[in-house]
Structures are given as C-alpha cells and as structure tokens.
Amino acid sequence: MSAPVKYSHQREAIVDYLKSTKSHPTAEVVYENIRLIIPNISLGTVYRNLNQLADCGRILRLCCDGKNVHYDGFTHPHCHFMCESCGNVSDMDMDFPTDLLNKAKRLKDNNINNVSIVFTGICNTCKSIE
Amino acid sequence: MSAPVKYSHQREAIVDYLKSTKSHPTAEVVYENIRLIIPNISLGTVYRNLNQLADCGRILRLCCDGKNVHYDGFTHPHCHFMCESCGNVSDMDMDFPTDLLNKAKRLKDNNINNVSIVFTGICNTCKSIE
DNA sequence: TTGGGTGCAAATCTTTTGCAGGTGT
DNA sequence: ACACCTGCAAAAGATTTGCACCCAA
C-alpha cells in the first residue's frame, strides 16, 4: 500500500487519464490512450505503473472476467456491471452496501480490506443487437 | 447456458472432483488432481471442459485476481474471500445478500444474471506468518 | 550521486485452438 | 454413421522481467 518514491511523468499521465474517463480500460487501452500524449511510452511501463498504482490504492484493479484486468481511476466504494457479451465494464448507479462489508469484517476479525461487487448480464447495446 | 450433448468420462471426473473439495482450484490444480485418476488426460481437455461446465452453469467460474481463474463446484449463491497474500480462495460463512441482487435487477430492467461478491484481505495462515 | 523509473525486447505463463483419431448415441 | 470429444502440440494473448540508460531528488 506504500506510495511510489519518485515522481514520474508517465505515471501521472496514467492517473490523469484514468480519472478523466468513466470507462474501465484494460492495460492495452490505457497504453493506446497514453501514447497519444507520450508517443514513446512502452507497454511495460504502463503495466508496471498500473500495478504500482493499484498496489498503493491510487486506482482500482478490476478482475471481472478471466481475460483482461480492467482499471478504475475512481477509488470510492462502488459496484460494477460487466456485460457477458461485449465485456464492457461500467459503474452501477446504486448505493454501496457498506453494511455488508462491515458484517464481513466482523466475521473475519477485521482482516478484510475490501470487497468487489460485480454484477453480470447483458448490456443494452448488446441486447438491441441480439 | 446449454448442457453438453454427450457424456464424457473426463468431464464427469472434473465435476466430481470439484464437488469433492471446498478449495477453489485453478485449471492447473484441477488438471493435476484429475491426472491421479485419468493419467493421460490433457490440459486442453481440462480447460475445454471447465469452460463448458461454467458456461452451462454446472460449476462457477471465479475471477478474483488477474492471475488465474478459479473454479467452484458449488453453484448456490455465496460470497468468497481471497487472500491478498497467498491467493487462496475460500467461502464466506455469511448469508448471501439476495436483496442486493434483486435491487440491481430492478435497476437494470432484469438484464442482470448474476453477481460476484469477493472479499479480500489477509487470511489467518498468512497473518500468522507475517 | 544514486536509486528508482523507463524503453525495448525477450521470456513467462495461462489459455485457446487445429488436427487427426477416438467414442457415445 | 455422425457429431462430439480427446490428446497432443503449437499458437495466441496477456503480463512480467532483464538490461542498459535516464532522470528526479
């Protein structure tokens, strides 16, 4: 959970990008978008920074399917929705069940740090294509 | 969600194994264990069957971290816990919040099929090693 | 100055897939 | 018989890592 020691232009660009979008991009998508600003950034650097940022809690790492990890610049507790058809991840516009987390913490002697709540189904776009 | 058409010895062995354990093994671990019974089974077959079984709902596919997919032979709705240190996945001994799922279904016009609830923290084993 | 950060490319690891042959119905 | 299933091995994809160089503190 410790923060990085040194400032890095690349890392801040990644954070800025993630905070500017409500989509929940994969590392590859982050890479493509950061390249528009820092053309010679490498994919390895993107991965390294995403891991570092997630480890220190500045961004969220979302593991919704077994394919790709998605990242979220908004770290307040909220629920996600993933479309089973297109794989897109979005925020759920509903209250976060804080009571559920507290209940779990009591059950596990406060050894719980977080909870991930991901709903799955078919999004409206895919529904209309069907 | 459609069930497989034909019986397969390998597939049933995989289901039996998953129903016999409360651990939440990865494909690799399933492979190792099934080989004790069917020595010449291939890893590809294990992956194919795990996908098929998860797709038709006979087992659960758990995506807790970005590393490995875990599988669960018990399909009733329940919450999971994953240790951030060792990566082990276990069941949470608490009521499943059915109301939360119903609330989300209403919010999304019943286009929601499921919800995954994964708590993360440090398990007792890792806690004692620290 | 110096240790973290980076770009590059190779390596690693997980999962999927093409194919030829086997098997359940 | 025919479609599905399998073992095998190669391919595909995602992510990590070793290395030499660069740069923030």
Side-chain angles (χ1 to χ4, degrees):
Chain A
M1 258 325 232
S2 57
V5 189
K6 267 189 199 176
Y7 171 88
S8 136
H9 178 43
Q10 289 87 338
R11 186 185 305 130
E12 293 314 306
I14 290 172
V15 174
D16 289 347
Y17 167 65
L18 285 176
K19 295 232 183 267
S20 77
T21 178
K22 290 235 170 192
S23 76
H24 299 70
T26 61
E28 188 66 37
V29 173
V30 171
Y31 174 57
E32 284 163 17
N33 279 278
I34 298 296
R35 266 209 296 184
L36 302 176
I37 309 163
I38 309 176
N40 68 326
I41 195 172
S42 77
L43 187 54
T45 295
V46 171
Y47 272 103
R48 266 186 294 237
N49 279 310
L50 287 171
N51 278 332
Q52 196 176 84
L53 289 164
D55 288 346
C56 76
R58 284 185 71 191
I59 65 173
L60 290 184
R61 185 189 275 121
L62 307 178
C63 309
C64 305
D65 57 8
K67 304 275 181 192
N68 292 93
V69 178
H70 294 249
Y71 297 90
D72 191 338
F74 299 95
T75 54
H76 63 276
H78 59 288
C79 301
H80 291 102
F81 172 79
M82 189 191 65
C83 176
E84 291 164 1
S85 177
C86 68
N88 257 16
V89 178
S90 54
D91 292 335
M92 286 287 284
D93 187 21
M94 66 190 287
D95 290 335
F96 188 80
T98 314
D99 54 317
L100 187 72
L101 183 53
N102 291 334
K103 204 165 125 188
K105 283 186 180 184
R106 282 196 299 276
L107 191 71
K108 286 276 193 171
D109 300 327
N110 282 315
N111 289 343
I112 284 178
N113 297 327
N114 222 324
V115 61
S116 149
I117 302 181
V118 182
F119 295 92
T120 49
I122 305 294
C123 72
N124 288 332
T125 310
C126 288
K127 196 97 185 180
S128 66
I129 294 169
E130 261 175 11
Chain B
M1 251 337 224
S2 57
V5 189
K6 269 186 195 177
Y7 171 88
S8 135
H9 177 42
Q10 289 86 338
R11 181 155 55 231
E12 294 313 307
I14 290 172
V15 174
D16 290 347
Y17 167 64
L18 285 176
K19 295 232 184 267
S20 77
T21 178
K22 291 235 169 195
S23 77
H24 299 71
T26 61
E28 188 67 38
V29 173
V30 171
Y31 175 58
E32 283 163 16
N33 279 278
I34 298 297
R35 266 207 297 185
L36 302 176
I37 310 162
I38 309 174
N40 68 326
I41 196 173
S42 77
L43 187 54
T45 295
V46 171
Y47 271 103
R48 266 186 295 239
N49 279 309
L50 287 172
N51 278 332
Q52 195 176 86
L53 290 164
D55 288 345
C56 77
R58 283 184 73 191
I59 64 173
L60 291 184
R61 185 188 274 121
L62 308 179
C63 308
C64 305
D65 58 8
K67 306 275 183 195
N68 293 95
V69 178
H70 294 248
Y71 297 90
D72 190 338
F74 299 93
T75 56
H76 64 277
H78 59 291
C79 301
H80 291 101
F81 172 80
M82 189 191 63
C83 176
E84 292 163 2
S85 177
C86 67
N88 259 14
V89 179
S90 55
D91 292 335
M92 286 287 285
D93 187 21
M94 65 190 287
D95 290 335
F96 188 80
T98 313
D99 54 319
L100 188 72
L101 183 53
N102 290 334
K103 205 165 123 188
K105 284 187 180 182
R106 283 196 299 275
L107 192 71
K108 287 273 196 179
D109 300 328
N110 282 312
N111 289 343
I112 283 179
N113 296 329
N114 223 324
V115 61
S116 148
I117 301 181
V118 183
F119 295 91
T120 48
I122 305 296
C123 72
N124 288 332
T125 309
C126 288
K127 195 96 184 178
S128 65
I129 294 169
E130 262 175 12

Short mmCIF file of all heavy atoms in Angstrom, two decimals, chain A residues 37-78:
data_model
loop_
_atom_site.label_atom_id
_atom_site.label_comp_id
_atom_site.label_asym_id
_atom_site.label_seq_id
_atom_site.Cartn_x
_atom_site.Cartn_y
_atom_site.Cartn_z
N ILE A 37 -0.40 11.03 -25.92
CA ILE A 37 0.24 12.13 -25.21
C ILE A 37 1.75 11.90 -25.11
O ILE A 37 2.54 12.80 -25.29
CB ILE A 37 -0.35 12.26 -23.78
CG1 ILE A 37 -1.88 12.30 -23.85
CG2 ILE A 37 0.20 13.50 -23.09
CD1 ILE A 37 -2.53 12.02 -22.51
N ILE A 38 2.12 10.67 -24.79
CA ILE A 38 3.53 10.31 -24.67
C ILE A 38 3.81 9.20 -25.69
O ILE A 38 3.72 8.02 -25.36
CB ILE A 38 3.87 9.80 -23.24
CG1 ILE A 38 3.35 10.78 -22.18
CG2 ILE A 38 5.36 9.57 -23.09
CD1 ILE A 38 3.54 10.31 -20.75
N PRO A 39 4.12 9.58 -26.91
CA PRO A 39 4.16 8.61 -28.02
C PRO A 39 5.15 7.46 -27.82
O PRO A 39 4.91 6.36 -28.31
CB PRO A 39 4.56 9.46 -29.23
CG PRO A 39 4.14 10.85 -28.85
CD PRO A 39 4.36 10.94 -27.38
N ASN A 40 6.22 7.71 -27.08
CA ASN A 40 7.22 6.64 -26.97
C ASN A 40 7.15 5.85 -25.66
O ASN A 40 8.06 5.12 -25.31
CB ASN A 40 8.63 7.21 -27.16
CG ASN A 40 9.02 8.10 -26.00
OD1 ASN A 40 8.17 8.78 -25.43
ND2 ASN A 40 10.28 8.09 -25.64
N ILE A 41 6.04 5.99 -24.93
CA ILE A 41 5.89 5.21 -23.70
C ILE A 41 5.80 3.73 -24.09
O ILE A 41 5.29 3.39 -25.17
CB ILE A 41 4.63 5.64 -22.90
CG1 ILE A 41 4.70 5.08 -21.47
CG2 ILE A 41 3.37 5.18 -23.61
CD1 ILE A 41 3.60 5.62 -20.57
N SER A 42 6.31 2.88 -23.23
CA SER A 42 6.27 1.46 -23.56
C SER A 42 5.17 0.74 -22.79
O SER A 42 4.76 1.18 -21.71
CB SER A 42 7.62 0.81 -23.26
OG SER A 42 7.75 0.58 -21.88
N LEU A 43 4.73 -0.37 -23.36
CA LEU A 43 3.67 -1.15 -22.74
C LEU A 43 4.11 -1.65 -21.36
O LEU A 43 3.33 -1.68 -20.42
CB LEU A 43 3.29 -2.31 -23.65
CG LEU A 43 2.09 -3.16 -23.27
CD1 LEU A 43 0.85 -2.32 -23.06
CD2 LEU A 43 1.84 -4.22 -24.34
N GLY A 44 5.38 -2.02 -21.25
CA GLY A 44 5.91 -2.48 -19.97
C GLY A 44 5.78 -1.43 -18.88
O GLY A 44 5.43 -1.74 -17.74
N THR A 45 6.05 -0.20 -19.23
CA THR A 45 5.93 0.90 -18.28
C THR A 45 4.49 1.08 -17.84
O THR A 45 4.20 1.32 -16.66
CB THR A 45 6.45 2.21 -18.91
OG1 THR A 45 7.84 2.06 -19.15
CG2 THR A 45 6.21 3.40 -18.01
N VAL A 46 3.56 0.94 -18.78
CA VAL A 46 2.14 1.05 -18.45
C VAL A 46 1.77 -0.04 -17.44
O VAL A 46 1.16 0.24 -16.41
CB VAL A 46 1.27 0.96 -19.71
CG1 VAL A 46 -0.20 0.84 -19.34
CG2 VAL A 46 1.50 2.17 -20.60
N TYR A 47 2.17 -1.26 -17.72
CA TYR A 47 1.87 -2.36 -16.80
C TYR A 47 2.49 -2.12 -15.43
O TYR A 47 1.86 -2.31 -14.39
CB TYR A 47 2.37 -3.69 -17.37
CG TYR A 47 1.36 -4.37 -18.25
CD1 TYR A 47 1.48 -4.35 -19.63
CD2 TYR A 47 0.27 -5.04 -17.70
CE1 TYR A 47 0.55 -4.99 -20.45
CE2 TYR A 47 -0.66 -5.68 -18.50
CZ TYR A 47 -0.52 -5.64 -19.87
OH TYR A 47 -1.43 -6.27 -20.66
N ARG A 48 3.77 -1.73 -15.42
CA ARG A 48 4.45 -1.50 -14.15
C ARG A 48 3.74 -0.45 -13.32
O ARG A 48 3.51 -0.62 -12.12
CB ARG A 48 5.90 -1.09 -14.40
CG ARG A 48 6.87 -2.26 -14.37
CD ARG A 48 8.32 -1.78 -14.48
NE ARG A 48 8.56 -1.18 -15.78
CZ ARG A 48 9.51 -1.58 -16.64
NH1 ARG A 48 10.28 -2.61 -16.33
NH2 ARG A 48 9.68 -0.99 -17.80
N ASN A 49 3.35 0.65 -13.98
CA ASN A 49 2.69 1.73 -13.24
C ASN A 49 1.29 1.36 -12.80
O ASN A 49 0.86 1.73 -11.71
CB ASN A 49 2.70 3.00 -14.08
CG ASN A 49 4.03 3.71 -13.98
OD1 ASN A 49 4.53 3.94 -12.89
ND2 ASN A 49 4.62 4.04 -15.11
N LEU A 50 0.56 0.66 -13.65
CA LEU A 50 -0.79 0.25 -13.26
C LEU A 50 -0.72 -0.64 -12.02
O LEU A 50 -1.51 -0.49 -11.09
CB LEU A 50 -1.48 -0.47 -14.41
CG LEU A 50 -1.94 0.41 -15.57
CD1 LEU A 50 -2.43 -0.44 -16.74
CD2 LEU A 50 -3.04 1.37 -15.14
N ASN A 51 0.24 -1.55 -12.00
CA ASN A 51 0.39 -2.41 -10.83
C ASN A 51 0.76 -1.62 -9.59
O ASN A 51 0.19 -1.84 -8.51
CB ASN A 51 1.45 -3.49 -11.09
CG ASN A 51 0.87 -4.64 -11.88
OD1 ASN A 51 -0.33 -4.91 -11.79
ND2 ASN A 51 1.69 -5.31 -12.67
N GLN A 52 1.70 -0.73 -9.77
CA GLN A 52 2.14 0.08 -8.64
C GLN A 52 1.00 0.94 -8.09
O GLN A 52 0.79 1.00 -6.88
CB GLN A 52 3.29 0.96 -9.11
CG GLN A 52 4.09 1.56 -8.01
CD GLN A 52 5.25 2.34 -8.58
OE1 GLN A 52 5.09 3.49 -8.95
NE2 GLN A 52 6.41 1.72 -8.67
N LEU A 53 0.26 1.57 -9.00
CA LEU A 53 -0.84 2.44 -8.60
C LEU A 53 -1.95 1.65 -7.90
O LEU A 53 -2.53 2.11 -6.91
CB LEU A 53 -1.40 3.17 -9.82
CG LEU A 53 -0.49 4.26 -10.40
CD1 LEU A 53 -0.95 4.65 -11.80
CD2 LEU A 53 -0.47 5.48 -9.49
N ALA A 54 -2.22 0.47 -8.41
CA ALA A 54 -3.25 -0.35 -7.79
C ALA A 54 -2.78 -0.85 -6.42
O ALA A 54 -3.55 -0.86 -5.46
CB ALA A 54 -3.60 -1.53 -8.69
N ASP A 55 -1.50 -1.22 -6.34
CA ASP A 55 -0.96 -1.72 -5.08
C ASP A 55 -1.00 -0.66 -3.98
O ASP A 55 -1.19 -0.98 -2.81
CB ASP A 55 0.47 -2.23 -5.26
CG ASP A 55 0.51 -3.53 -6.03
OD1 ASP A 55 -0.55 -4.17 -6.19
OD2 ASP A 55 1.61 -3.92 -6.49
N CYS A 56 -0.79 0.59 -4.35
CA CYS A 56 -0.77 1.64 -3.33
C CYS A 56 -2.14 2.28 -3.17
O CYS A 56 -2.31 3.22 -2.41
CB CYS A 56 0.30 2.68 -3.62
SG CYS A 56 -0.10 3.84 -4.93
N GLY A 57 -3.13 1.78 -3.93
CA GLY A 57 -4.51 2.22 -3.70
C GLY A 57 -4.93 3.48 -4.42
O GLY A 57 -6.02 4.00 -4.18
N ARG A 58 -4.10 3.98 -5.34
CA ARG A 58 -4.50 5.21 -6.05
C ARG A 58 -5.50 4.92 -7.15
O ARG A 58 -6.23 5.79 -7.61
CB ARG A 58 -3.27 5.91 -6.66
CG ARG A 58 -2.45 6.66 -5.63
CD ARG A 58 -1.33 7.45 -6.29
NE ARG A 58 -1.81 8.60 -7.04
CZ ARG A 58 -1.04 9.32 -7.86
NH1 ARG A 58 0.23 8.99 -8.03
NH2 ARG A 58 -1.53 10.36 -8.52
N ILE A 59 -5.51 3.69 -7.65
CA ILE A 59 -6.52 3.26 -8.64
C ILE A 59 -7.03 1.88 -8.22
O ILE A 59 -6.46 1.24 -7.33
CB ILE A 59 -5.93 3.18 -10.07
CG1 ILE A 59 -4.86 2.09 -10.16
CG2 ILE A 59 -5.37 4.53 -10.51
CD1 ILE A 59 -4.36 1.84 -11.58
N LEU A 60 -8.10 1.44 -8.86
CA LEU A 60 -8.64 0.11 -8.57
C LEU A 60 -8.31 -0.87 -9.68
O LEU A 60 -8.34 -0.52 -10.86
CB LEU A 60 -10.16 0.18 -8.44
CG LEU A 60 -10.76 0.88 -7.23
CD1 LEU A 60 -12.27 0.74 -7.26
CD2 LEU A 60 -10.19 0.32 -5.93
N ARG A 61 -8.01 -2.08 -9.28
CA ARG A 61 -7.79 -3.18 -10.22
C ARG A 61 -9.07 -4.00 -10.23
O ARG A 61 -9.51 -4.50 -9.20
CB ARG A 61 -6.61 -4.00 -9.72
CG ARG A 61 -6.16 -5.12 -10.63
CD ARG A 61 -5.15 -6.00 -9.92
NE ARG A 61 -3.78 -5.49 -10.02
CZ ARG A 61 -3.00 -5.19 -9.00
NH1 ARG A 61 -3.45 -5.31 -7.77
NH2 ARG A 61 -1.77 -4.75 -9.19
N LEU A 62 -9.69 -4.12 -11.40
CA LEU A 62 -10.95 -4.86 -11.50
C LEU A 62 -10.75 -6.17 -12.26
O LEU A 62 -10.30 -6.16 -13.41
CB LEU A 62 -12.01 -4.03 -12.25
CG LEU A 62 -12.29 -2.62 -11.75
CD1 LEU A 62 -13.33 -1.96 -12.65
CD2 LEU A 62 -12.74 -2.65 -10.31
N CYS A 63 -11.08 -7.26 -11.62
CA CYS A 63 -10.94 -8.57 -12.26
C CYS A 63 -12.33 -9.15 -12.46
O CYS A 63 -12.83 -9.87 -11.61
CB CYS A 63 -10.09 -9.48 -11.40
SG CYS A 63 -8.54 -8.72 -10.91
N CYS A 64 -12.95 -8.79 -13.55
CA CYS A 64 -14.35 -9.17 -13.77
C CYS A 64 -14.47 -10.46 -14.55
O CYS A 64 -15.33 -11.28 -14.30
CB CYS A 64 -15.07 -8.06 -14.51
SG CYS A 64 -14.95 -6.47 -13.67
N ASP A 65 -13.64 -10.62 -15.56
CA ASP A 65 -13.63 -11.87 -16.31
C ASP A 65 -12.22 -12.44 -16.23
O ASP A 65 -11.34 -11.86 -15.63
CB ASP A 65 -14.06 -11.65 -17.77
CG ASP A 65 -13.16 -10.63 -18.46
OD1 ASP A 65 -12.14 -10.22 -17.87
OD2 ASP A 65 -13.48 -10.24 -19.59
N GLY A 66 -12.02 -13.58 -16.81
CA GLY A 66 -10.71 -14.19 -16.75
C GLY A 66 -9.76 -13.69 -17.84
O GLY A 66 -8.62 -14.10 -17.90
N LYS A 67 -10.28 -12.82 -18.68
CA LYS A 67 -9.50 -12.39 -19.84
C LYS A 67 -8.54 -11.25 -19.49
O LYS A 67 -7.35 -11.42 -19.46
CB LYS A 67 -10.43 -11.91 -20.97
CG LYS A 67 -11.46 -12.93 -21.40
CD LYS A 67 -10.90 -13.89 -22.42
CE LYS A 67 -11.97 -14.90 -22.84
NZ LYS A 67 -11.42 -16.01 -23.60
N ASN A 68 -9.13 -10.08 -19.23
CA ASN A 68 -8.31 -8.90 -19.01
C ASN A 68 -8.59 -8.29 -17.65
O ASN A 68 -9.71 -8.33 -17.18
CB ASN A 68 -8.62 -7.83 -20.05
CG ASN A 68 -8.19 -8.25 -21.42
OD1 ASN A 68 -8.96 -8.81 -22.17
ND2 ASN A 68 -6.95 -8.00 -21.74
N VAL A 69 -7.57 -7.67 -17.10
CA VAL A 69 -7.77 -6.86 -15.91
C VAL A 69 -8.19 -5.48 -16.39
O VAL A 69 -7.65 -4.97 -17.37
CB VAL A 69 -6.48 -6.79 -15.08
CG1 VAL A 69 -6.68 -5.90 -13.88
CG2 VAL A 69 -6.05 -8.18 -14.64
N HIS A 70 -9.17 -4.90 -15.73
CA HIS A 70 -9.61 -3.54 -16.03
C HIS A 70 -9.18 -2.63 -14.89
O HIS A 70 -9.03 -3.09 -13.75
CB HIS A 70 -11.13 -3.49 -16.20
CG HIS A 70 -11.65 -4.26 -17.38
ND1 HIS A 70 -12.20 -3.64 -18.48
CD2 HIS A 70 -11.67 -5.59 -17.65
CE1 HIS A 70 -12.57 -4.56 -19.36
NE2 HIS A 70 -12.26 -5.75 -18.88
N TYR A 71 -9.02 -1.33 -15.20
CA TYR A 71 -8.59 -0.39 -14.18
C TYR A 71 -9.59 0.75 -14.04
O TYR A 71 -10.25 1.13 -15.01
CB TYR A 71 -7.20 0.13 -14.50
CG TYR A 71 -6.17 -0.97 -14.48
CD1 TYR A 71 -5.89 -1.70 -15.63
CD2 TYR A 71 -5.54 -1.33 -13.30
CE1 TYR A 71 -4.97 -2.75 -15.61
CE2 TYR A 71 -4.62 -2.37 -13.27
CZ TYR A 71 -4.35 -3.08 -14.43
OH TYR A 71 -3.46 -4.12 -14.40
N ASP A 72 -9.70 1.27 -12.82
CA ASP A 72 -10.68 2.29 -12.49
C ASP A 72 -10.01 3.40 -11.70
O ASP A 72 -9.36 3.13 -10.69
CB ASP A 72 -11.81 1.64 -11.66
CG ASP A 72 -13.01 2.55 -11.50
OD1 ASP A 72 -12.85 3.78 -11.65
OD2 ASP A 72 -14.11 2.03 -11.23
N GLY A 73 -10.12 4.62 -12.19
CA GLY A 73 -9.50 5.76 -11.52
C GLY A 73 -10.26 6.27 -10.32
O GLY A 73 -9.75 7.08 -9.55
N PHE A 74 -11.50 5.77 -10.15
CA PHE A 74 -12.32 6.25 -9.03
C PHE A 74 -12.33 5.20 -7.93
O PHE A 74 -12.82 4.08 -8.13
CB PHE A 74 -13.73 6.56 -9.52
CG PHE A 74 -13.72 7.65 -10.56
CD1 PHE A 74 -13.70 7.32 -11.92
CD2 PHE A 74 -13.69 8.98 -10.18
CE1 PHE A 74 -13.65 8.33 -12.89
CE2 PHE A 74 -13.65 9.99 -11.15
CZ PHE A 74 -13.63 9.67 -12.50
N THR A 75 -11.76 5.57 -6.80
CA THR A 75 -11.49 4.56 -5.77
C THR A 75 -12.54 4.51 -4.67
O THR A 75 -12.42 3.67 -3.78
CB THR A 75 -10.11 4.82 -5.13
OG1 THR A 75 -10.07 6.17 -4.67
CG2 THR A 75 -9.00 4.60 -6.14
N HIS A 76 -13.54 5.37 -4.71
CA HIS A 76 -14.58 5.28 -3.68
C HIS A 76 -15.34 3.96 -3.91
O HIS A 76 -15.45 3.50 -5.04
CB HIS A 76 -15.53 6.47 -3.75
CG HIS A 76 -16.28 6.54 -5.03
ND1 HIS A 76 -15.76 7.13 -6.18
CD2 HIS A 76 -17.50 6.07 -5.38
CE1 HIS A 76 -16.64 7.02 -7.15
NE2 HIS A 76 -17.70 6.39 -6.72
N PRO A 77 -15.85 3.36 -2.82
CA PRO A 77 -16.52 2.06 -2.98
C PRO A 77 -17.75 2.17 -3.87
O PRO A 77 -18.62 2.99 -3.62
CB PRO A 77 -16.94 1.71 -1.53
CG PRO A 77 -16.11 2.59 -0.65
CD PRO A 77 -15.85 3.83 -1.43
N HIS A 78 -17.79 1.36 -4.92
CA HIS A 78 -18.98 1.32 -5.78
C HIS A 78 -19.06 -0.02 -6.48
O HIS A 78 -18.07 -0.73 -6.61
CB HIS A 78 -18.99 2.49 -6.77
CG HIS A 78 -17.80 2.54 -7.69
ND1 HIS A 78 -16.53 2.89 -7.27
CD2 HIS A 78 -17.70 2.31 -9.02
CE1 HIS A 78 -15.71 2.87 -8.29
NE2 HIS A 78 -16.37 2.51 -9.37
#
